[in-house]
Coordinates of all heavy atoms in Angstrom, one line a residue:
E68 N 86.9 158.4 85.2 CA 85.6 158.9 85.6 C 84.5 158.6 84.6 O 83.4 158.2 84.9 CB 85.7 160.4 85.8 CG 86.5 160.8 87.0 CD 86.6 162.3 87.2 OE1 85.7 163.0 86.7 OE2 87.6 162.8 87.8
I69 N 84.8 158.8 83.3 CA 83.9 158.5 82.2 C 83.5 157.0 82.2 O 82.3 156.7 82.1 CB 84.4 158.9 80.9 CG1 84.6 160.4 80.8 CG2 83.5 158.4 79.7 CD1 85.3 160.9 79.6
C70 N 84.5 156.1 82.5 CA 84.2 154.7 82.5 C 83.2 154.4 83.6 O 82.3 153.6 83.3 CB 85.5 153.9 82.7 SG 86.7 154.0 81.3
K71 N 83.4 154.9 84.7 CA 82.5 154.7 85.8 C 81.1 155.2 85.5 O 80.1 154.6 85.8 CB 83.0 155.2 87.1 CG 84.2 154.5 87.7 CD 84.7 155.2 88.9 CE 86.0 154.5 89.3 NZ 86.6 155.2 90.5
K72 N 81.0 156.5 85.0 CA 79.8 157.1 84.7 C 78.9 156.3 83.7 O 77.7 156.2 83.9 CB 80.0 158.5 84.2 CG 78.8 159.4 84.0 CD 79.1 160.8 83.5 CE 77.8 161.5 83.3 NZ 78.1 162.9 82.8
Y73 N 79.5 155.8 82.7 CA 78.8 155.1 81.6 C 78.9 153.6 81.7 O 78.5 152.9 80.8 CB 79.2 155.6 80.3 CG 78.9 157.1 80.1 CD1 79.9 158.0 80.1 CD2 77.6 157.5 79.8 CE1 79.6 159.4 80.0 CE2 77.3 158.8 79.6 CZ 78.3 159.7 79.7 OH 77.9 161.1 79.5
S74 N 79.6 153.1 82.7 CA 79.8 151.6 82.9 C 80.4 151.0 81.7 O 79.9 150.0 81.2 CB 78.5 151.0 83.3 OG 78.0 151.5 84.5
I75 N 81.5 151.5 81.2 CA 82.2 150.9 80.1 C 83.7 150.8 80.4 O 84.2 151.5 81.3 CB 82.0 151.7 78.7 CG1 82.5 153.1 78.8 CG2 80.5 151.6 78.3 CD1 82.4 153.9 77.5
S76 N 84.4 150.0 79.7 CA 85.8 149.8 80.0 C 86.6 150.8 79.3 O 86.2 151.6 78.4 CB 86.2 148.4 79.4 OG 86.2 148.4 78.0
T77 N 87.9 150.9 79.7 CA 88.8 151.8 79.1 C 89.0 151.5 77.7 O 89.1 152.4 76.8 CB 90.2 151.8 79.9 OG1 90.0 152.0 81.3 CG2 91.2 152.8 79.3
S78 N 89.1 150.2 77.3 CA 89.3 149.9 75.9 C 88.1 150.4 75.1 O 88.3 150.8 74.0 CB 89.3 148.3 75.8 OG 90.5 147.9 76.4
Q79 N 86.9 150.3 75.6 CA 85.7 150.8 74.9 C 85.8 152.3 74.7 O 85.4 152.8 73.7 CB 84.4 150.4 75.6 CG 84.1 148.9 75.6 CD 83.0 148.5 76.5 OE1 83.0 148.9 77.7 NE2 82.1 147.8 75.9
I80 N 86.3 153.0 75.7 CA 86.5 154.4 75.5 C 87.4 154.7 74.4 O 87.1 155.6 73.5 CB 87.0 155.1 76.8 CG1 86.0 155.1 77.9 CG2 87.6 156.5 76.6 CD1 84.9 156.1 77.8
Y81 N 88.5 154.0 74.3 CA 89.4 154.3 73.2 C 88.8 154.0 71.8 O 89.0 154.7 70.8 CB 90.7 153.4 73.4 CG 91.7 154.1 74.3 CD1 91.5 154.1 75.7 CD2 92.8 154.8 73.8 CE1 92.3 154.7 76.6 CE2 93.7 155.4 74.7 CZ 93.4 155.4 76.1 OH 94.3 156.0 76.9
E82 N 88.0 152.9 71.8 CA 87.3 152.6 70.5 C 86.2 153.7 70.2 O 86.1 154.1 69.0 CB 86.6 151.2 70.7 CG 87.5 150.1 70.7 CD 86.8 148.8 71.0 OE1 85.7 148.6 70.4 OE2 87.4 147.9 71.7
L83 N 85.5 154.1 71.2 CA 84.5 155.2 70.9 C 85.1 156.5 70.5 O 84.6 157.2 69.6 CB 83.7 155.4 72.2 CG 82.7 154.3 72.6 CD1 82.1 154.6 74.0 CD2 81.6 154.2 71.6
I84 N 86.3 156.8 71.0 CA 86.9 158.1 70.6 C 87.3 158.0 69.1 O 87.0 159.0 68.4 CB 88.2 158.4 71.5 CG1 87.7 158.7 72.9 CG2 89.0 159.5 70.9 CD1 88.8 158.8 73.9
I85 N 87.9 157.0 68.7 CA 88.3 156.9 67.3 C 87.1 156.9 66.4 O 87.1 157.5 65.3 CB 89.3 155.8 67.0 CG1 90.0 156.0 65.6 CG2 88.6 154.4 67.0 CD1 91.3 155.2 65.4
D86 N 86.0 156.2 66.8 CA 84.8 156.2 66.0 C 84.2 157.6 65.9 O 83.7 158.0 64.9 CB 83.8 155.2 66.6 CG 84.1 153.8 66.4 OD1 84.9 153.5 65.5 OD2 83.6 152.9 67.2
Y87 N 84.2 158.3 67.1 CA 83.6 159.6 67.1 C 84.4 160.6 66.2 O 83.8 161.3 65.4 CB 83.7 160.2 68.5 CG 83.2 161.6 68.6 CD1 81.8 161.9 68.6 CD2 84.1 162.6 68.7 CE1 81.4 163.2 68.7 CE2 83.7 163.9 68.8 CZ 82.3 164.2 68.7 OH 81.9 165.5 68.8
V88 N 85.7 160.5 66.3 CA 86.6 161.4 65.4 C 86.3 161.1 63.9 O 86.1 162.0 63.1 CB 88.1 161.2 65.7 CG1 88.9 161.9 64.7 CG2 88.3 161.7 67.1
Y89 N 86.2 159.8 63.6 CA 85.9 159.4 62.2 C 84.5 159.9 61.8 O 84.4 160.5 60.7 CB 86.1 157.9 62.1 CG 85.7 157.4 60.7 CD1 86.6 157.7 59.6 CD2 84.6 156.6 60.4 CE1 86.3 157.3 58.3 CE2 84.3 156.2 59.2 CZ 85.1 156.5 58.1 OH 84.8 156.1 56.8
Q90 N 83.5 159.7 62.6 CA 82.2 160.1 62.2 C 82.1 161.6 62.1 O 81.4 162.1 61.2 CB 81.2 159.6 63.3 CG 81.0 158.1 63.3 CD 80.5 157.6 61.9 OE1 79.7 158.2 61.2 NE2 81.1 156.4 61.5
D91 N 82.8 162.3 62.9 CA 82.8 163.8 62.8 C 83.4 164.2 61.5 O 83.0 165.1 60.8 CB 83.6 164.4 64.0 CG 83.3 165.8 64.2 OD1 82.2 166.3 64.0 OD2 84.3 166.5 64.6
L92 N 84.5 163.5 61.1 CA 85.1 163.8 59.8 C 84.2 163.5 58.7 O 84.0 164.3 57.7 CB 86.4 163.0 59.7 CG 87.3 163.2 58.5 CD1 87.8 164.6 58.5 CD2 88.4 162.2 58.6
I93 N 83.5 162.4 58.7 CA 82.5 162.1 57.6 C 81.4 163.1 57.6 O 81.0 163.5 56.5 CB 82.0 160.6 57.9 CG1 83.1 159.6 57.7 CG2 80.8 160.4 56.9 CD1 83.7 159.6 56.4
K94 N 80.9 163.5 58.7 CA 79.8 164.5 58.7 C 80.3 165.8 58.1 O 79.6 166.5 57.3 CB 79.4 164.8 60.2 CG 78.5 163.8 60.8 CD 78.2 164.1 62.2 CE 77.6 162.9 62.9 NZ 77.4 163.2 64.3
S95 N 81.6 166.2 58.3 CA 82.1 167.4 57.7 C 82.2 167.2 56.2 O 81.9 168.2 55.4 CB 83.5 167.7 58.2 OG 83.5 168.0 59.6
L96 N 82.5 166.1 55.7 CA 82.6 165.8 54.3 C 81.2 165.8 53.6 O 81.1 166.2 52.4 CB 83.3 164.5 54.0 CG 84.7 164.5 54.3 CD1 85.3 163.1 54.2 CD2 85.5 165.4 53.4
D97 N 80.2 165.4 54.4 CA 78.8 165.4 53.8 C 78.2 166.8 53.7 O 77.2 166.9 53.0 CB 77.9 164.5 54.7 CG 78.3 163.0 54.5 OD1 78.9 162.7 53.5 OD2 77.9 162.2 55.4
K98 N 78.8 167.7 54.4 CA 78.2 169.1 54.3 C 78.6 169.7 53.0 O 79.6 169.4 52.3 CB 78.8 170.0 55.4 CG 78.3 169.5 56.8 CD 78.9 170.5 57.9 CE 78.4 170.0 59.2 NZ 79.1 170.8 60.3
D99 N 77.8 170.6 52.5 CA 78.0 171.3 51.3 C 79.0 172.5 51.6 O 78.6 173.7 51.6 CB 76.7 171.8 50.7 CG 76.9 172.4 49.3 OD1 77.9 172.0 48.6 OD2 76.0 173.2 48.9
S100 N 80.2 172.2 51.8 CA 81.2 173.2 52.1 C 82.3 173.2 51.0 O 82.6 172.2 50.3 CB 81.9 172.8 53.4 OG 81.0 172.7 54.4
E101 N 82.8 174.4 50.8 CA 83.9 174.5 49.8 C 85.2 174.1 50.4 O 86.1 173.7 49.7 CB 83.9 176.0 49.3 CG 82.7 176.3 48.4 CD 82.9 177.7 47.8 OE1 84.0 178.2 47.6 OE2 81.8 178.3 47.5
I102 N 85.3 174.3 51.7 CA 86.6 174.0 52.4 C 86.3 173.2 53.6 O 85.5 173.5 54.4 CB 87.3 175.3 52.8 CG1 87.7 176.2 51.6 CG2 88.6 175.0 53.6 CD1 88.2 177.5 52.0
I103 N 87.1 172.1 53.7 CA 87.1 171.3 54.9 C 88.5 171.1 55.3 O 89.4 170.7 54.6 CB 86.5 169.9 54.6 CG1 85.1 170.0 54.1 CG2 86.6 169.0 55.8 CD1 84.5 168.7 53.6
I104 N 88.8 171.5 56.6 CA 90.1 171.4 57.1 C 90.2 170.2 57.9 O 89.5 170.0 58.9 CB 90.5 172.7 58.0 CG1 90.4 173.9 57.1 CG2 91.8 172.5 58.6 CD1 90.5 175.2 57.8
L105 N 91.1 169.3 57.5 CA 91.3 168.0 58.3 C 92.5 168.3 59.3 O 93.6 168.6 58.8 CB 91.7 166.9 57.3 CG 90.7 166.5 56.3 CD1 91.2 165.4 55.4 CD2 89.4 166.1 56.9
D106 N 92.2 168.1 60.5 CA 93.3 168.3 61.5 C 93.9 167.0 61.7 O 93.7 166.0 61.1 CB 92.8 168.9 62.8 CG 91.8 168.1 63.5 OD1 91.7 166.9 63.2 OD2 91.1 168.6 64.3
R107 N 94.8 166.9 62.7 CA 95.6 165.7 62.9 C 95.0 164.8 64.0 O 95.6 164.0 64.6 CB 97.0 166.1 63.2 CG 97.1 167.0 64.4 CD 98.6 167.2 64.7 NE 98.7 167.4 66.2 CZ 99.3 168.4 66.8 NH1 99.8 169.3 66.1 NH2 99.3 168.4 68.1
S108 N 93.7 165.0 64.2 CA 93.1 164.3 65.4 C 93.2 162.8 65.3 O 93.4 162.1 66.2 CB 91.6 164.7 65.6 OG 90.9 164.5 64.4
L109 N 93.0 162.2 64.1 CA 93.1 160.8 63.9 C 94.6 160.3 64.2 O 94.8 159.3 64.8 CB 92.7 160.3 62.5 CG 91.2 160.3 62.3 CD1 90.9 160.1 60.8 CD2 90.5 159.2 63.2
N110 N 95.5 161.1 63.7 CA 96.9 160.7 63.9 C 97.2 160.8 65.4 O 97.9 159.9 66.0 CB 97.9 161.6 63.2 CG 97.8 161.4 61.7 OD1 97.5 160.3 61.2 ND2 98.1 162.4 60.9
D111 N 96.8 161.9 66.1 CA 97.0 162.0 67.5 C 96.3 160.9 68.3 O 96.9 160.3 69.2 CB 96.4 163.3 68.0 CG 97.2 164.6 67.6 OD1 98.3 164.4 67.1 OD2 96.7 165.7 67.8
R112 N 95.1 160.5 67.8 CA 94.4 159.4 68.5 C 95.2 158.1 68.4 O 95.3 157.4 69.4 CB 93.1 159.2 67.8 CG 92.2 158.1 68.3 CD 92.0 157.9 69.8 NE 92.0 159.1 70.6 CZ 92.3 159.1 71.9 NH1 92.6 158.0 72.5 NH2 92.3 160.3 72.6
Q113 N 95.9 157.8 67.3 CA 96.6 156.6 67.1 C 97.9 156.7 68.0 O 98.3 155.7 68.6 CB 97.0 156.4 65.7 CG 97.8 155.1 65.5 CD 97.1 153.9 66.0 OE1 95.9 153.8 66.1 NE2 97.8 152.8 66.2
I114 N 98.5 157.8 68.2 CA 99.6 158.0 69.1 C 99.1 157.7 70.6 O 99.8 157.0 71.3 CB 100.2 159.4 69.0 CG1 100.9 159.5 67.6 CG2 101.2 159.6 70.1 CD1 101.3 160.9 67.2
W115 N 98.0 158.2 70.9 CA 97.4 158.0 72.3 C 97.2 156.5 72.5 O 97.4 155.9 73.5 CB 96.1 158.8 72.5 CG 96.4 160.2 72.9 CD1 96.4 161.3 72.1 CD2 96.7 160.7 74.2 NE1 96.6 162.4 72.8 CE2 96.8 162.1 74.1 CE3 96.8 160.0 75.4 CZ2 97.1 162.8 75.2 CZ3 97.1 160.8 76.5 CH2 97.3 162.2 76.4
N116 N 96.6 155.8 71.4 CA 96.4 154.4 71.5 C 97.7 153.6 71.7 O 97.7 152.7 72.6 CB 95.7 153.9 70.2 CG 94.3 154.5 70.1 OD1 93.7 154.9 71.0 ND2 93.8 154.4 68.8
Y117 N 98.7 154.0 71.0 CA 100.0 153.3 71.2 C 100.5 153.5 72.6 O 101.0 152.5 73.2 CB 101.0 153.8 70.1 CG 102.4 153.2 70.3 CD1 102.6 151.9 69.9 CD2 103.4 153.9 70.8 CE1 103.8 151.3 70.0 CE2 104.7 153.3 71.0 CZ 104.9 152.0 70.6 OH 106.1 151.4 70.7
N118 N 100.5 154.7 73.1 CA 100.9 155.0 74.4 C 100.1 154.2 75.5 O 100.7 153.7 76.4 CB 100.9 156.5 74.7 CG 102.0 157.3 74.0 OD1 103.0 156.7 73.6 ND2 101.7 158.5 73.7
A119 N 98.8 154.1 75.3 CA 98.0 153.4 76.2 C 98.3 151.9 76.2 O 98.4 151.2 77.2 CB 96.5 153.6 75.8
Y120 N 98.6 151.4 75.0 CA 99.1 150.0 74.9 C 100.4 149.8 75.6 O 100.5 148.8 76.4 CB 99.2 149.6 73.4 CG 99.9 148.3 73.2 CD1 99.5 147.1 73.7 CD2 101.1 148.4 72.5 CE1 100.2 145.9 73.4 CE2 101.8 147.2 72.2 CZ 101.4 146.0 72.7 OH 102.1 144.9 72.5
K121 N 101.4 150.6 75.4 CA 102.7 150.5 76.0 C 102.6 150.6 77.5 O 103.4 150.0 78.2 CB 103.7 151.5 75.5 CG 104.0 151.3 74.0 CD 104.5 149.9 73.7 CE 106.0 149.8 73.6 NZ 106.5 148.4 73.4
K122 N 101.6 151.3 78.0 CA 101.5 151.5 79.5 C 100.5 150.5 80.1 O 100.1 150.6 81.2 CB 101.0 152.9 79.8 CG 102.0 154.0 79.5 CD 101.5 155.4 79.7 CE 102.5 156.4 79.3 NZ 102.0 157.8 79.5
D123 N 100.1 149.5 79.3 CA 99.2 148.5 79.7 C 97.8 149.0 80.1 O 97.1 148.5 81.0 CB 99.7 147.6 80.9 CG 100.9 146.8 80.4 OD1 100.8 146.3 79.2 OD2 101.8 146.5 81.2
I124 N 97.4 150.1 79.5 CA 96.1 150.7 79.8 C 95.0 149.9 78.9 O 93.9 149.7 79.3 CB 96.0 152.2 79.5 CG1 97.0 152.9 80.5 CG2 94.6 152.8 79.6 CD1 97.2 154.4 80.2
I125 N 95.4 149.6 77.7 CA 94.6 148.8 76.8 C 95.3 147.5 76.4 O 96.5 147.6 76.3 CB 94.1 149.6 75.5 CG1 95.3 150.0 74.7 CG2 93.2 150.7 75.9 CD1 94.9 150.7 73.4
P126 N 94.6 146.4 76.2 CA 95.3 145.2 75.9 C 95.8 145.2 74.4 O 95.3 146.0 73.6 CB 94.2 144.1 76.1 CG 92.9 144.8 76.0 CD 93.2 146.2 76.5
K127 N 96.7 144.3 74.1 CA 97.2 144.2 72.8 C 96.2 144.0 71.7 O 96.2 144.6 70.6 CB 98.2 143.0 72.7 CG 99.0 142.9 71.4 CD 100.0 141.8 71.4 CE 100.8 141.8 70.1 NZ 101.9 140.8 70.1
N128 N 95.2 143.1 71.9 CA 94.2 142.9 70.9 C 93.4 144.1 70.6 O 93.0 144.4 69.5 CB 93.3 141.7 71.3 CG 92.5 142.0 72.5 OD1 92.9 142.7 73.4 ND2 91.3 141.3 72.6
T129 N 93.1 145.0 71.6 CA 92.4 146.2 71.4 C 93.3 147.2 70.6 O 92.8 147.8 69.6 CB 92.0 146.9 72.7 OG1 91.1 146.0 73.4 CG2 91.3 148.2 72.5
Y130 N 94.6 147.2 70.9 CA 95.5 148.1 70.2 C 95.6 147.7 68.7 O 95.5 148.6 67.8 CB 96.9 148.1 70.8 CG 97.9 148.8 70.0 CD1 97.9 150.2 69.8 CD2 98.9 148.1 69.2 CE1 98.8 150.8 69.0 CE2 99.7 148.7 68.4 CZ 99.7 150.1 68.3 OH 100.6 150.8 67.5
I131 N 95.7 146.4 68.5 CA 95.8 145.9 67.1 C 94.5 146.3 66.3 O 94.5 146.7 65.2 CB 96.1 144.4 67.0 CG1 97.5 144.2 67.5 CG2 95.9 143.9 65.6 CD1 97.9 142.8 67.8
Y132 N 93.3 146.1 67.0 CA 92.1 146.4 66.4 C 92.0 147.9 66.0 O 91.6 148.3 64.9 CB 90.9 146.0 67.3 CG 89.6 146.6 66.9 CD1 88.9 146.0 65.9 CD2 89.1 147.7 67.5 CE1 87.6 146.5 65.5 CE2 87.9 148.3 67.2 CZ 87.1 147.7 66.1 OH 85.9 148.2 65.8
L133 N 92.4 148.7 66.9 CA 92.4 150.2 66.7 C 93.4 150.6 65.6 O 93.1 151.5 64.8 CB 92.6 150.9 68.0 CG 91.6 150.8 69.1 CD1 92.0 151.4 70.4 CD2 90.3 151.4 68.6
K134 N 94.6 150.0 65.6 CA 95.6 150.3 64.6 C 95.1 149.9 63.2 O 95.2 150.7 62.3 CB 96.9 149.5 64.9 CG 98.0 149.8 64.0 CD 99.3 149.1 64.4 CE 99.1 147.6 64.1 NZ 100.4 146.8 64.2
D135 N 94.4 148.7 63.1 CA 93.9 148.3 61.8 C 92.8 149.3 61.4 O 92.7 149.6 60.2 CB 93.4 146.9 61.9 CG 94.5 145.9 62.0 OD1 95.6 146.2 61.8 OD2 94.2 144.7 62.4
K136 N 92.0 149.7 62.3 CA 90.9 150.6 62.0 C 91.5 152.0 61.5 O 91.0 152.6 60.5 CB 90.0 150.8 63.2 CG 88.7 151.5 63.0 CD 87.9 151.5 64.2 CE 86.4 151.8 63.8 NZ 85.5 151.5 64.8
Y137 N 92.5 152.4 62.2 CA 93.2 153.7 61.8 C 93.8 153.6 60.4 O 93.7 154.5 59.6 CB 94.3 154.0 62.9 CG 95.2 155.1 62.4 CD1 94.8 156.4 62.5 CD2 96.5 154.8 61.9 CE1 95.7 157.4 62.1 CE2 97.3 155.8 61.5 CZ 96.9 157.1 61.6 OH 97.7 158.1 61.1
K138 N 94.4 152.4 60.1 CA 94.9 152.2 58.8 C 93.9 152.3 57.7 O 94.1 153.0 56.6 CB 95.6 150.8 58.7 CG 96.9 150.8 59.3 CD 97.5 149.4 59.1 CE 98.8 149.2 59.8 NZ 99.4 147.8 59.6
K139 N 92.7 151.7 57.9 CA 91.6 151.8 57.0 C 91.1 153.2 56.8 O 90.9 153.7 55.7 CB 90.4 150.9 57.4 CG 90.7 149.4 57.3 CD 89.5 148.6 57.9 CE 89.9 147.2 57.9 NZ 88.8 146.4 58.6
I140 N 91.0 153.9 57.9 CA 90.5 155.3 57.8 C 91.6 156.2 57.1 O 91.2 157.0 56.2 CB 90.3 155.9 59.2 CG1 89.1 155.2 59.9 CG2 90.0 157.4 59.2 CD1 88.9 155.5 61.3
S141 N 92.8 155.9 57.3 CA 93.9 156.7 56.7 C 93.9 156.5 55.2 O 94.1 157.4 54.4 CB 95.3 156.3 57.3 OG 95.4 156.7 58.6
K142 N 93.7 155.2 54.8 CA 93.6 154.9 53.3 C 92.5 155.6 52.7 O 92.6 156.1 51.6 CB 93.6 153.4 53.1 CG 94.9 152.7 53.4 CD 94.8 151.3 53.1 CE 96.1 150.6 53.4 NZ 96.2 149.2 53.1
I143 N 91.3 155.7 53.3 CA 90.2 156.4 52.8 C 90.5 157.9 52.7 O 90.2 158.5 51.7 CB 88.9 156.2 53.7 CG1 88.5 154.8 53.7 CG2 87.8 157.2 53.3 CD1 87.4 154.4 54.8
M144 N 91.2 158.5 53.7 CA 91.5 159.9 53.7 C 92.5 160.2 52.5 O 92.4 161.3 52.0 CB 92.1 160.3 55.0 CG 91.1 160.3 56.1 SD 91.8 160.7 57.8 CE 92.6 162.2 57.5
Q145 N 93.3 159.3 52.2 CA 94.3 159.6 51.1 C 93.6 159.8 49.8 O 94.2 160.4 48.9 CB 95.2 158.4 51.0 CG 96.2 158.3 52.1 CD 97.1 157.0 52.0 OE1 96.9 156.2 51.0 NE2 97.9 156.8 52.9
H146 N 92.4 159.3 49.6 CA 91.7 159.4 48.3 C 90.8 160.7 48.2 O 90.2 160.9 47.2 CB 90.9 158.2 48.0 CG 91.7 157.0 47.9 ND1 92.6 156.7 46.8 CD2 91.9 155.9 48.7 CE1 93.2 155.6 47.0 NE2 92.9 155.1 48.2
W147 N 90.7 161.4 49.3 CA 89.9 162.6 49.3 C 90.7 163.7 48.6 O 91.9 163.8 48.8 CB 89.5 163.1 50.7 CG 88.5 162.2 51.3 CD1 87.6 161.5 50.7 CD2 88.4 162.0 52.7 NE1 86.8 160.8 51.6 CE2 87.3 161.1 52.9 CE3 89.0 162.4 53.9 CZ2 86.8 160.6 54.1 CZ3 88.6 162.0 55.1 CH2 87.5 161.1 55.2
P148 N 90.0 164.5 47.8 CA 90.8 165.6 47.1 C 91.3 166.6 48.1 O 90.7 166.9 49.1 CB 89.7 166.2 46.2 CG 88.4 165.7 46.7 CD 88.6 164.5 47.5
T149 N 92.5 167.1 47.8 CA 93.1 168.1 48.6 C 93.5 169.3 47.7 O 94.0 169.1 46.6 CB 94.4 167.6 49.2 OG1 94.4 166.2 49.2 CG2 94.5 168.1 50.6
F150 N 93.3 170.5 48.2 CA 93.6 171.7 47.5 C 94.4 172.6 48.4 O 94.1 172.8 49.5 CB 92.3 172.4 47.0 CG 91.4 171.5 46.2 CD1 90.4 170.9 46.8 CD2 91.7 171.3 44.8 CE1 89.5 170.1 46.1 CE2 90.8 170.5 44.1 CZ 89.8 169.9 44.7
F151 N 95.5 173.1 47.8 CA 96.3 174.1 48.6 C 96.4 175.3 47.9 O 96.4 175.4 46.7 CB 97.7 173.5 48.9 CG 97.7 172.3 49.7 CD1 97.7 171.0 49.2 CD2 97.6 172.4 51.1 CE1 97.7 169.9 50.0 CE2 97.6 171.3 51.9 CZ 97.7 170.0 51.3

């Protein structure tokens, strides 16, 4: 339904979702907050991407692009300070 409403492909939807989740995370970090809780939304997104690829919902090249993007984001996240 979203694809039809905005005239974009399913692959583009998957790309937009990971971009949105990442941008939302960056916005949270830019705020002057003492605590930022990172949920597992990026990890969940990568699992959804893999499932979409295996079910032929997104093509292999899109999956690889999203997987590489996820890896870059994950590496960035590893360098953020964490406090427990």
